[in-house]
Amino acid sequence: GWEDQDGGVTAAISIAAPYDLTTLDWGCAWLPPGEPCSQARSYASPQEHVSAASKPLFIIHSDDDHSVPVLQALNMVETLKRAAAKHEFVHYTDLGHMQITEEIIAQRRGFIDRLEASGKDS
């Protein structure tokens, strides 16, 4: 029933996510069979695929995330800036490896609303 709908990606929302698997000690946890860990981790790292043509990315991360260090998000933001890729970053200090709370839902909804509004201006 969705055949008439565009299946393309418009943007992405990333909450407490890794962006450079080569720097994480658990980055070899999921590998394709027969692939060297370093090559697979590099290819699977979103930070390696950023360009000015990248779709808008909304990043939410917290300083006290013990699963994925906040440095992952900070480095990704710098990579996005250098590439002139559209992005927004919401930086918390005390939400850990985040749960989906009303606050996070409101942040995500705001990003979607801004994208929709900017599309109407084009």
Side-chain angles (χ1 to χ4, degrees), residues 8-49:
V9 173
T10 302
I13 297 172
S14 180
I15 302 171
Y19 304 98
D20 182 3
L21 297 176
T22 66
T23 64
L24 298 171
D25 59 359
W26 53 266
C28 280
W30 304 279
L31 290 177
E35 292 293 326
C37 180
S38 61
Q39 183 178 346
R41 289 194 316 173
S42 179
Y43 183 74
S45 295
Q47 193 167 312
E48 296 295 318
H49 303 282

Side-chain angles (χ1 to χ4, degrees), residues 54-65:
S54 295
K55 300 295 184 179
L57 179 60
F58 187 57
I59 297 173
I60 303 174
H61 215 103
S62 183
D63 286 340
D64 62 344
D65 185 334

Side-chain angles (χ1 to χ4, degrees), residues 15 60 97-105 108:
I15 302 171
I60 303 174
H97 193 65
M98 290 179 217
Q99 302 295 316
I100 303 303
T101 63
E102 290 300 320
E103 164 72 13
I104 299 304
I105 292 169
R108 294 183 329 189

Side-chain angles (χ1 to χ4, degrees), residues 57-60 77 80 86-90 110-111 114-115:
L57 179 60
F58 187 57
I59 297 173
I60 303 174
V77 168
L80 292 160
K86 293 180 182 179
H87 68 283
E88 292 183 29
F89 179 41
V90 177
F111 174 69
R114 289 187 295 281
L115 279 178

